[in-house]
Amino acid sequence: MTGSETRAAVEWLTSVAPDPGACRWEWERNPQAIALLPAGKRWDVLILPGELGYPTLDVLTRLIDRPGPVLADFGESRMGFFVPPGTASRWLGTGIRGAGPGTWIVVPHPGRAAGGVRWLIPPDGSGTLTDAALLELAMHEAAGAAAQDDREGG
């Protein structure tokens, strides 16, 4: 990420914080700091198990040049895809958790790993999010490929 993209990403992320200035200050003061940011304002987050999330991200990046932001947790057992607000409340999917209004997301500074959380695709500050229908398509393709591999013993 360029310096201007990082600054724009920080502004975009902190815009939802209860105290954006304090959030920015903490990230600048401590490179390993994380912020708890509320979902449901500028984005929701769909949280996939890593065994589905990684193949889904592979499919997604073949379909579009730049998906929305994606986080991975420590051990990469879960991945969070940033999607438009309102998605979490409408999402029906076994094993997929949604973070929308009333929930908080652990977020490191863009371009840094912290507290066991890292960006796989950091925000660029433009507000780009992953379209939920496209994410669902990518999940189906990834799950189908995994099922095919299982049937073939691969």
Side-chain angles (χ1 to χ4, degrees):
M1 290 179 70
T2 67
S4 61
E5 284 177 332
T6 300
R7 282 189 296 281
V10 166
E11 291 303 314
W12 182 72
L13 287 168
T14 61
S15 70
V16 301
D19 185 345
C23 183
R24 282 189 302 274
W25 182 83
E26 184 62 31
W27 271 343
E28 294 309 318
R29 186 177 70 85
N30 179 0
Q32 297 301 309
I34 57 167
L36 280 174
L37 297 178
K41 292 184 178 185
R42 289 192 182 258
W43 62 78
D44 283 359
V45 180
L46 292 181
I47 303 166
L48 283 62
E51 61 271 7
L52 176 60
Y54 279 96
T56 297
L57 183 57
D58 288 343
V59 172
L60 198 56
T61 55
R62 286 194 313 263
L63 295 173
I64 56 176
D65 289 335
R66 177 107 168 80
V70 180
L71 284 170
D73 71 351
F74 181 75
E76 303 187 3
S77 61
R78 288 181 299 275
M79 293 172 63
F81 290 80
F82 282 51
V83 293
T87 301
S89 65
R90 296 186 308 270
W91 192 264
L92 299 173
T94 303
I96 311 300
R97 292 190 350 227
T103 59
W104 296 74
I105 299 296
V106 174
V107 180
H109 184 283
R112 298 181 192 157
V117 180
R118 69 184 182 98
W119 290 105
L120 297 175
I121 299 179
D124 62 7
S126 70
T128 298
L129 300 169
T130 298
D131 177 81
L134 194 57
L135 180 60
E136 183 177 19
L137 174 70
M139 283 191 293
H140 284 290
E141 188 172 321
Q148 182 70 27
D149 285 349
D150 287 348
R151 282 193 299 275
E152 293 173 358

